[in-house]
Structure formats: C-alpha cells, structure tokens
Amino acid sequence: MSDLNVKVGLIGKLDMLKFKNMAKVREKAIQKAPAKEISGTFPVNENAKALHPDALELTVDNIIARGGAKTFVLKRPDGGPLPYFRAGQYLSLKLPLDGSLVTRSYSLCSSPKEALNGSYAITIRANPGGFAADRLLRDLKPGDKLIASAPQGFFYYEDLRDAGHVVGLAGGSGITPFLSMARAIADGIEDFSLTLLYGSRREEDVLFRGELDEIARSCPKFKVIYVLSDEERDCFEHGFLTAELIRKYAPADEDYSVFLCGPEAMYRFLQPEIEELGLPPRRFRRKLIDVTKSPWACEGYPAEAEGKSFSIRVKQGPEEWTVPASADEPVLVAIERAGIKAPSRCRAGECGWCRSRLLEGTVFIPKENEMRRWADVHYGYIHPCCSFPTSDLVLEIPGEFY
Amino acid sequence: MPTYDVVVVGAGNAGLSAALQCQLAGRKTLLIEKHNVPGGAATSFVRGRFEIEPSLHELCDFGPADNPGDVRRILDAYGVKLDWYECRDCFRVVSRYSDGSPMDVTMPSGIQNFIDKMEEYVPGSREKTTALFDLFQEVLDGIAYITASKGHADSKVLQAKYPNMLRTGAYSTKKVFDALKLPQKAQDILSTYWSYLGVDMEHLAFIHYAAMVHKYVQRSAYIPAHTSHELSTAMVERFRELGGEIWFNCRAEEFLFEGDKLCGVRTNLGDIDCGYCLANINPDIIYGSMMPKELIPEREKKLSAARGRIMGGRMYTAYFCLDAAPEELGITDYSIFLSGTADSAKEYKNILGGMETNEYCIFLCYNIANPGFSPEGTCVCSFTTFGAPEEWGRLQQEDYFKFKTEGAKKWLRILKEKTGIDLCGHIEEMEVASPWTFARFLGVPEGSVYGYETRDWDGMMARMMMLGADYPIKGLRPIGAAGPRGDGYSATIICGQLMAANALKDLKAWEGGEQ
C-alpha cells in the first residue's frame, strides 16, 4: 500500500489541501447561487399526475338506453380532457349506496380518442341480484356526480407481445372492452386485426349491434360474428363459443391471440375449449374474473366454515372498528357494509389496491383470484376483495384518499 | 391526536432503514407510506404467472455471511432476515472502446480474478490495475474512518493512514485514472459502472466511484430470492415486531410547525403529532410544496438554486416475461451493459439527447442469478436506461403508450444486433416503466431515483463533510437518494441509518434542555 506511487503529475502535496477544501468549495458554490423560491412541481410529475390521478370526479352527461342496459357518458365537471387510456381498460367507480361506500368496475366502451375530447362512456347491464348495477340503472340521472379511479387494468393489446390478429371472445356485457378496441382500431389508435365472436342468449340481448356493424363495414381490420345460444336466426351462429367456432373464424395461416371477456360461467365453460386449441400461454389473455358468489363450491374450501358468521376487527391508521362478517362474502364486503372508507378497485384480486395485513385469523382465497406477491403470501398480506373469512379476523387496511 | 416520537414519511429503502433504527433505539415510531405497498422502488408487481422486480439489479456492499459488507451488517443489526442469491460475474459489456474499436468483455467478481481478466483483455495493465485496487481499498478504509469519526476526523490520522485518499479525493475519476497512467482500454472497461451513479467519469468524484467499484468487485452483488418486495416486506415485518406502526395509503400533505420547530404532519388520515420527522422525500418537493415558505432558510434556497434542479437517473425500464428458459434464448450473462461508447461523457450527452440518440441500456436476466425467479421453462428480463427530462416533460398523453413501447422495441433490436439474443416471439407478459411511472409511484422529481446529481462540487464526500450545515430545519430531515450518500439501495439504506442516528442525537440533546 505505502509503495503506491500516485505522487505524479497533478497529484501531489497540494491535493491534500484540496481534499480538506472540498467543503469550502461546496459552500462557495452554494453561496454564489441566488436565493430563489423553490418550486415543488416538475413537468414530468405533472404529466404523470394528469395521466394517473388518485381519483376522478365525473359528471353524468348523457344516458343512452339500450334494452336492458344503459350507456352513461361521463365528463369532467369543467368539461376538460380526461386521462387517456388503452382500449380495454376499466374505471372503478366509488359509489355511496345505503350508507356503504362500494366500488364497481366497468370497462370503458368509448374510444381513447374521446377522452381527449373530454368524455368517457361505460355501459351497465341489468343484472338480476346485482345490487349496484340495478341501483345505478334506476337512480343515475344526468348531472349526477361520480367518483372514479383513473382508467386501469391490463386487458389491452400490446403489439410487441400479442399476435397481429386477435380473436375476441365476448359474452354478455363483456362486449364493452372489445367495443373500445374496435373503436380504437377504427380511429387509427390501435393497429391490429380483431375478429370478434360475440355470444348472447337471444338476438334482443345483443348490445351495440348497430355500432359494431357500422365499424365492421368501414374498417377492414374488424369483423364481428354474433353467436346466439338460445335461438336460431339467419346470419347468426347458433350455440356456444367453442374451440370449433374459434377455429372456423381464426386466420388459418397466421398466428393469432385469443382475448376473452365474459361472465364467470363463460370462463368455466371456455377453459377446456381454449386448452383444446393448444395455444401457448402467451397467446391467451382474459379480463379478470369476478370473485365467485359460491366460495363453498371452490376447490379447497374448508367445509366447516360454510354459512358461519364471524367478526372482523378492522384497523385503519388511528381508527379501529369491529364489524360482522359472513363466510359467504369477501372480507371487503363486510368492511364496506359497515360504512368504512376502504380502498379497492378491481375486486378480483388483481390490482392489489386493497392489500391488507391479516394480523389474526384465516381466510379462503379462490384459486383464480390468487394473484398476490410471494412475500405477501409469506408474511400474511391478503387482498380482502377476494378473501372469504373462515374465522374471526384482525385486519389492518390501508387508508383512502377521498 | 395520535402522538409519536418520530414519524418517518415514506417506506422506501431509506425510510424503512430509518424507522427500524428509531424503533430499535426505543423511540415510538410511526412509518407512513403513501402507496399501499412498502419499498418505493424496492417493490414488485405481478403480471400473469410472473412476479417482476422493478428496480434492483445488484445490491452493493452486502457480501456473504462470513464476509459481510456494511449493508448486511446493518440488516443483521436490525434483525431483518431473508434468503439471497449471489450475482457471480461483475458484468459483461458490449460497447466500443474510446478509440472506436469494438469491446465485448466479461468481468468476474473477486479482485484477483478481475485484475487477471483485465490483463487478458488489456495486456500490460496488471501493475496499474493492481495499484488502482490498492488505492480503492485505502479510499474505502478512509471513508470508513471519516464516517466513524462522525464529523470529527483527525487530519493527522488522515494524513498518516490515508494519504492517497487525500491526494485523489478531490478529483474526478477520469483525472485520477489519467494520473495513474491506467491504460485507456482498462479505463474504458473500468468506467462501465458509471451509470450506477449517473454522472460521467469527468464529473464523478473518484472517491465515490472507488468505493462503489471496490465493493462490487470484492464482495460481488446480491439479490433477494423473491424480488426487492421481499426485502421491503421483511423490513416492515421486523419493524412491526419491534413495536413500530406502519400506515399504508397515508400521504403526508404538509409538515406542521410550532415556531421554527416541527411538531407534526398533516395526512389524508388526519394530523399526527410528533417530535421529529424523517422524510423520504426530495428536498425541493418538501420546500416547494409541503411547508411554510417563511421557514425555509436562505441557504436552502441557494443550495437548491446551485443544484439547478438537475437530477440524476430518470429511469426507463422495459420488463419482459418470456416463455422460454434462458438457455433456450442463449442468455448466459446476468447483466449485459449495452452501450454506444465507453466514453461516458459522450454517452451521457447522447442519453440526455433523448430516445433517438440514446444508445445505452443495461440488459438483465434475473434467472441467471436466481434460477427459480420465474416458473420452470420461463425467464424474466429487463432493459434499463435513463430518460431525458425535456423529452418526457414534453410528451403528450396520447403519444405516451406508443412512445414507451417504441423504446422497448429499440432495446430488443439492439440486444439482437449486439448479442444475437432474440426475445421476440417469446414475450408472454411485458410492462414498461417510464420516468412518468417512477414520478407517479415514488413522487420523485422527473422520475429520478438518483436524487440530485452527485456532480463536481456536490459529490458524496463533500456532502458528508457538510451534514451539519445541510439540515437546518429543526425536527425535519429529508432522507433518501437526494441525501449525502447518493443513489442506490445500499446508499439509501445507509443514509436512513445515518440520518436516523442524527435525529436520535437531536432528540436526546433537546430532552437535555438544548434548543
């Protein structure tokens, strides 16, 4: 070490002084500068905030009735532009219903282009036993205000990842993200071919037929095939969406991706059909699956918990409550029913926005909603939106911003 | 009102470290985090069947259990336990030497191995490289001495034991390399790590670079078995075990003062009383929007102006989850630095010119260090580079998604051209995080995870020497990458501990009646 000869050129005795002077040099540089007011904003950060705000305040601008469904056109109260999004993403609405604050997610069915002009559209369909949907259809009027998340979710096209041709499988109100994609293709925002197999019970249940046919007429990259399960009509396919039907309409000599969005029953039916196609996993994408309404029917459910009632001690920041819970409902529902402002967005285990620390007790999580990080599983964090209590619980939930 | 001795704002690496340190010292500590997960950049996200590491490439200064570095010692002292994997080689770099000739070298860990390999690539370099590593060691020892002396380093001791550190410490890395007459090609290879500190070799203090390179080469680097989210969560759980409290989705909106002394924090979950606040937030943001203007000292305004709001490392990372194992794709290296030139000043200029001129990125395959990183027959890779602030500041929302994907395409193409590795056709999941993403999740200016550039007069050692003058707000200390130790996981973990120690000292002094 001591024989290291660095006393060459500029590095000599004076340099030791220079080391000592580093603080002085720095102080001089500081003192030389003007004492300007400091701004806490930066363009990149402002851009990020505009694209991904904590929450959006929206006004119902227009309501379009379509059979058993309604399309709600939403705008910002000041009419300004809304955050851009990727066709296929959804809004999570925060709804005050009967003293509870609940969330529901709805895919945007409008083109991303409309966001720049200041509007979003979502479509809600009547849903027997659907607490929130029925109330929204009954009560929402033009001028009403809503709180929503920014657009989110991963059900969208990505040209680096997906094949140039997508076969879309839509069931019921699962048509909405595909309508947004079709509109984005027509607007030149997305560039891929979409062949849509759209399953409904009857002709009268088909939503957006006029819009879809119109896009298909003017845009060679989009094709739609209506499939009716409960009746036979000319110009319609009859039956369910199956591997055979997919093969019939998929490009014969070209790689393709399958995108799926529909109700829980459709996922279950289609699973073996998709497997039969023999596609690699990268060629199959589905929108997230809603949490089951019958946890006891799931694989691995502890039978002794079925039908029981429990209590949950909920902690949030400095606050604490004890709320009743049923084994048949996700933990989140019990918390919301008690009027607690609990964060949640996707309600399907995917976004992790409700991630909470389970301090005591046990829960059941259906396999298809298990999307937690490794360390979260290891250290006892759960997503209350898709966790069913199987004992009394003590839970620490995150805060909320509105 | 909830009352704590210390509130730590932000559960990034520095915040987690500071919270553990305060709680261990017996202070009633609350850690608040504006996001719903801890870690800041030290987190993970799930896409399909993959869990993705967003930011940690190589934890520096950690080392094996029987030869621990500072960071392992700190985590051990906190009682934080988890499984780690070693990243064996230092790096492979595919670039051009400063003279324009092609460079493709792979440097191993271990000082002797490194020197031997350097001799292979640059015959005749052995003597100079050996001298350089000796100098690195002296610098490290000298820094350790200065840190341990807590601002009271004895200049006689420094002159007697660390003369070469003193001689070289005030110079840029480039100047010292030249003075040592290190062969240019060896300089080019040794400059590879410059991007980890985000300042080119002509403006980066030798002392800072020396300490880092020596640590990487000597002890190699480590990664947690289950992404850096495991590290952050293990730190949170240990903090809870010690009696600490953590509130997620709790955002500090304003710091509250009584006279000129901090007395609390306003948050979305209400006001919190406390005697001290360690804030894992950039000082420009604290001063610019989180406290009364009249309490900001003139010198702090001058310091901000002198720095000119120039940040380092505004990150852009593209993540790819692939449906093939690394060997099927021909990937054998953990990290490959793909660069246009070994001339770091030129390269940095090209980076700041925007996506068009930027030729620099680091390609990483996590499964090489950790074979179980993703499901059997798959792997996860990423490309990391820096964004240019003007470009990402100008960018419009409607162009954003396309622009970031175009970047990813460029890096895939460059990887294929330079190494023959072709990931296209195997991409099962992908995501791109841009400076906007980092700005959104971390709240850092311009999406910079490096804080202010540790450039010229504002280098790490100069900041360390001025800890007394730099933190004038009573009861409030910013911590994190903008702090004295600069960027990186190890630097911020150390920074959190250091600043917490200073805060604890302040609290003790005030309790003893000092004002």
Side-chain angles (χ1 to χ4, degrees):
Chain A
M1 176 77 261
S2 53
D3 60 359
L4 170 68
N5 180 19
V6 291
K7 290 176 205 154
V8 288
L10 64 104
I11 297 180
K13 241 197 157 125
L14 277 178
D15 302 302
M16 290 206 180
L17 201 62
K18 219 174 155 177
F19 184 91
K20 225 176 140 185
N21 279 343
M22 268 198 282
K24 274 190 201 151
V25 169
R26 183 167 182 273
E27 190 60 29
K28 225 169 124 185
I30 294 168
Q31 291 304 337
K32 213 172 64 191
K36 279 199 301 202
E37 287 301 318
I38 300 170
S39 155
T41 58
F42 296 81
V44 168
N45 298 57
E46 296 306 299
N47 289 344
K49 212 180 286 173
L51 184 63
H52 299 291
D54 287 341
L56 287 167
E57 198 188 45
L58 300 171
T59 307
V60 178
D61 185 64
N62 190 17
I63 301 174
I64 304 154
R66 3 177 136 254
K70 284 179 180 174
T71 294
F72 298 91
V73 178
L74 309 171
K75 297 204 167 188
R76 244 170 55 170
D78 66 2
L82 286 161
Y84 202 59
F85 64 95
R86 301 183 89 148
Q89 289 191 305
Y90 64 87
L91 295 181
S92 180
L93 303 183
K94 194 96 190 171
L95 307 164
L97 295 176
D98 299 341
S100 298
L101 265 175
V102 306
T103 47
R104 288 294 183 271
S105 60
Y106 297 101
S107 294
L108 288 153
C109 58
S110 46
S111 167
K113 196 173 109 185
E114 294 307 316
L116 301 176
N117 301 330
S119 79
Y120 287 154
I122 57 171
T123 297
I124 303 176
R125 177 177 225 159
N127 169 15
F131 164 64
D134 291 351
R135 292 286 288 273
L136 289 172
L137 287 171
R138 191 189 75 193
D139 297 341
L140 266 191
K141 295 186 180 49
D144 283 355
K145 289 205 169 14
L146 288 170
I147 299 287
S149 71
Q152 63 169 68
F154 311 116
F155 188 66
Y156 52 74
Y157 181 78
E158 183 73 77
D159 66 349
L160 261 178
R161 178 193 63 201
D162 303 315
H165 199 122
V166 173
V167 175
L169 307 177
S173 55
I175 185 64
T176 50
F178 289 113
L179 177 60
S180 181
M181 288 181 202
R183 285 172 161 160
I185 294 169
D187 286 340
I189 292 168
E190 293 287 358
D191 185 18
F192 63 98
S193 298
L194 176 61
T195 299
L196 186 61
L197 303 179
Y198 176 12
S200 305
R201 284 176 187 278
R202 301 167 173 281
E203 189 177 349
E204 70 202 35
D205 297 325
V206 174
L207 287 174
F208 298 110
R209 196 168 159 200
E211 285 88 342
L212 292 165
D213 288 341
E214 174 58 35
I215 299 169
R217 257 196 303 278
S218 63
C219 175
K221 287 193 165 146
F222 176 67
K223 218 160 75 179
V224 57
I225 295 100
Y226 303 99
V227 186
L228 302 180
S229 61
D230 290 9
E231 59 184 9
E232 288 195 52
R233 286 270 190 283
D234 288 346
C235 311
F236 288 81
E237 285 282 351
H238 174 66
F240 290 111
L241 303 182
T242 59
E244 197 191 332
L245 199 69
I246 295 168
R247 272 200 211 95
K248 179 171 168 188
Y249 288 100
D253 47 0
E254 192 191 330
D255 189 16
Y256 66 94
S257 290
V258 172
F259 282 19
L260 165 62
C261 182
E264 190 191 337
M266 181 181 164
Y267 283 112
R268 296 196 196 289
F269 174 81
L270 268 169
Q271 201 159 334
E273 301 292 319
I274 301 285
E275 274 163 29
E276 201 198 308
L277 292 172
L279 299 169
R282 72 171 188 281
R283 288 290 173 250
F284 176 61
R285 307 191 69 77
R286 60 175 200 204
K287 195 170 176 290
L288 34 85
I289 300 184
D290 288 340
V291 181
T292 179
K293 293 198 163 52
S294 36
W296 54 85
C298 294
E299 191 190 323
Y301 187 82
E304 64 279 6
E306 190 181 337
K308 287 216 171 110
S309 297
F310 301 112
S311 86
I312 309 178
R313 196 141 69 84
V314 183
K315 300 181 180 191
Q316 184 185 48
E319 310 280 350
E320 198 176 313
W321 307 267
T322 299
V323 307
S326 151
D328 303 347
E329 286 179 334
V331 170
L332 177 64
V333 173
I335 298 172
E336 286 177 338
R337 192 171 285 132
I340 298 168
K341 262 168 86 171
S344 72
R345 282 178 183 166
C346 75
R347 297 186 89 89
E350 183 187 63
C351 78
W353 189 237
C354 60
R355 174 185 179 271
S356 300
R357 176 76 162 90
L358 183 60
L359 297 169
E360 283 173 38
T362 52
V363 295
F364 171 75
I365 301 164
K367 219 171 105 200
E368 63 260 32
N369 304 108
E370 176 57 278
M371 282 170 268
R372 289 178 295 166
R373 299 167 173 92
W374 182 91
D376 287 348
V377 175
H378 183 74
Y379 287 106
Y381 288 81
I382 61 167
H383 296 166
C385 70
C386 59
S387 303
F388 294 86
T390 54
S391 76
D392 290 340
L393 308 177
V394 181
L395 191 70
E396 241 179 61
I397 65 169
E400 189 48 293
F401 292 108
Y402 45 84
Chain B
M1 197 181 299
T3 304
Y4 297 85
D5 296 327
V6 179
V7 173
V8 177
V9 180
N13 285 311
L16 287 163
S17 177
L20 276 158
Q21 176 79 359
C22 292
Q23 190 65 35
L24 264 178
R27 294 291 177 177
K28 188 183 178 202
T29 307
L30 172 69
L31 175 55
I32 63 174
E33 165 54 48
K34 69 171 179 159
H35 205 51
N36 67 339
V37 284
T43 180
S44 73
F45 54 95
V46 173
R47 294 287 180 275
R49 54 181 173 148
F50 299 90
E51 181 172 352
I52 302 165
E53 164 65 52
S55 66
L56 179 60
H57 288 191
E58 308 186 297
L59 183 62
C60 185
D61 205 6
F62 188 78
D66 56 357
N67 180 22
D70 284 347
V71 174
R72 191 189 273 267
R73 278 197 217 104
I74 290 173
L75 293 178
D76 283 349
Y78 291 156
V80 173
K81 290 184 186 69
L82 56 148
D83 293 332
W84 297 88
Y85 282 89
E86 188 186 354
C87 315
R88 278 187 195 86
D89 283 336
C90 280
F91 54 77
R92 175 178 169 198
V93 53
V94 184
S95 178
R96 288 187 176 280
Y97 289 104
S98 324
D99 67 8
S101 59
M103 175 203 284
D104 186 348
V105 305
T106 303
M107 299 305 289
S109 302
I111 292 170
Q112 203 50 53
N113 299 337
F114 195 96
I115 294 170
D116 291 347
K117 199 79 192 173
M118 186 68 94
E119 178 66 23
E120 266 179 49
Y121 290 123
V122 190
S125 64
R126 181 180 300 280
E127 189 195 339
K128 296 292 183 189
T129 315
T130 306
L132 181 70
F133 271 91
D134 285 345
L135 179 56
F136 283 169
Q137 182 67 55
E138 185 182 319
V139 165
L140 260 189
D141 294 343
I143 294 175
Y145 169 73
I146 292 171
T147 307
S149 65
K150 296 186 172 146
H152 303 286
D154 182 340
S155 62
K156 286 213 180 70
V157 175
L158 284 172
Q159 284 181 33
K161 296 180 79 173
Y162 315 107
N164 295 312
M165 176 188 74
L166 297 187
R167 287 189 188 102
T168 54
Y171 289 100
S172 75
T173 314
K174 171 89 176 109
K175 277 234 163 77
V176 177
F177 281 7
D178 285 346
L180 278 171
K181 299 204 164 55
L182 193 67
Q184 186 56 48
K185 284 199 168 174
Q187 290 198 28
D188 288 343
I189 293 172
L190 268 158
S191 72
T192 301
Y193 281 124
W194 76 268
S195 61
Y196 280 12
L197 298 176
V199 180
D200 64 75
M201 305 295 272
E202 285 171 31
H203 299 278
L204 176 63
F206 174 71
I207 203 165
H208 197 179
Y209 197 63
M212 181 188 68
V213 174
H214 190 276
K215 287 169 182 168
Y216 271 128
V217 177
Q218 186 194 22
R219 294 206 174 83
S220 78
Y222 285 75
I223 54 169
H226 303 280
T227 77
S228 53
H229 180 65
E230 181 189 10
L231 170 61
S232 309
T233 311
M235 289 174 89
V236 167
E237 289 313 300
R238 179 60 183 148
F239 174 63
R240 286 178 189 277
E241 231 173 70
L242 292 167
E245 273 183 71
I246 177 164
W247 298 353
F248 288 107
N249 276 8
C250 179
R251 179 187 291 147
E253 285 154 2
E254 198 185 336
F255 294 104
L256 307 173
F257 288 82
E258 221 172 67
D260 62 352
K261 187 167 178 293
L262 179 130
C263 65
V265 195
R266 177 151 297 157
T267 78
N268 57 312
L269 294 179
D271 289 357
I272 305 163
D273 256 355
C274 64
Y276 217 107
C277 214
L278 290 154
N280 202 353
I281 305 174
N282 182 283
D284 270 30
I285 289 182
I286 294 178
Y287 293 137
S289 42
M290 300 182 73
M291 63 178 277
K293 299 263 180 250
E294 65 275 14
L295 291 180
I296 302 166
E298 289 288 286
R299 187 179 175 278
E300 292 297 281
K301 294 182 193 168
K302 285 168 174 277
L303 173 56
S304 168
R307 284 170 161 163
R309 295 156 77 84
I310 298 175
M311 305 290 154
R314 305 146 185 105
M315 308 312 278
Y316 169 101
T317 305
Y319 311 91
F320 293 97
C321 306
L322 305 153
D323 68 356
E327 56 272 20
E328 294 172 64
L329 297 165
I331 303 170
T332 52
D333 301 289
Y334 176 66
S335 65
I336 308 177
F337 290 67
L338 301 164
S339 118
T341 168
D343 180 337
S344 58
K346 206 189 269 175
E347 185 118 86
Y348 197 20
K349 203 172 149 237
N350 288 341
I351 290 170
L352 294 177
M355 200 85 95
E356 252 331 274
T357 51
N358 184 356
E359 292 181 282
Y360 184 87
C361 85
I362 302 173
F363 172 73
L364 209 70
C365 177
Y366 304 90
N367 300 62
I368 298 296
N370 175 3
F373 189 84
S374 61
E376 187 82 28
T378 69
C379 67
V380 180
C381 297
S382 69
F383 297 87
T384 301
T385 184
F386 298 133
E390 287 79 23
E391 189 166 55
W392 291 92
R394 245 189 348 251
L395 188 65
Q396 300 292 306
Q397 283 189 22
E398 59 268 38
D399 302 322
Y400 175 69
F401 301 120
K402 280 229 161 71
F403 187 69
K404 59 178 196 167
T405 306
E406 286 310 309
K409 285 180 189 170
K410 171 173 172 167
W411 302 119
L412 286 167
R413 194 177 64 239
I414 286 180
L415 176 72
K416 192 176 167 192
E417 279 165 15
K418 293 199 167 186
T419 69
I421 299 167
D422 188 1
L423 307 184
C424 295
H426 292 283
I427 301 166
E428 183 172 323
E429 298 287 344
M430 64 169 282
E431 194 53 81
V432 181
S434 77
W436 289 25
T437 318
F438 289 97
R440 170 195 176 196
F441 282 103
L442 310 180
V444 288
E446 297 175 343
S448 156
V449 298
Y450 282 16
Y452 308 107
E453 272 190 345
T454 46
R455 188 183 183 88
D456 299 328
W457 59 269
D458 198 23
M460 185 261 283
M461 184 49 72
R463 290 185 193 179
M464 287 294 288
M465 285 174 167
M466 302 191 78
L467 282 180
D470 277 2
Y471 297 87
I473 309 286
K474 249 186 237 165
L476 174 62
R477 276 175 192 267
I479 57 176
R485 302 295 297 237
D487 73 274
Y489 276 58
S490 51
T492 47
I493 289 170
I494 291 169
C495 169
Q497 191 200 38
L498 172 76
M499 300 303 257
N502 284 332
L504 292 166
K505 215 161 65 186
D506 287 347
L507 282 170
K508 218 170 182 176
W510 296 338
E511 284 157 6
E514 267 180 58
Q515 269 312 307

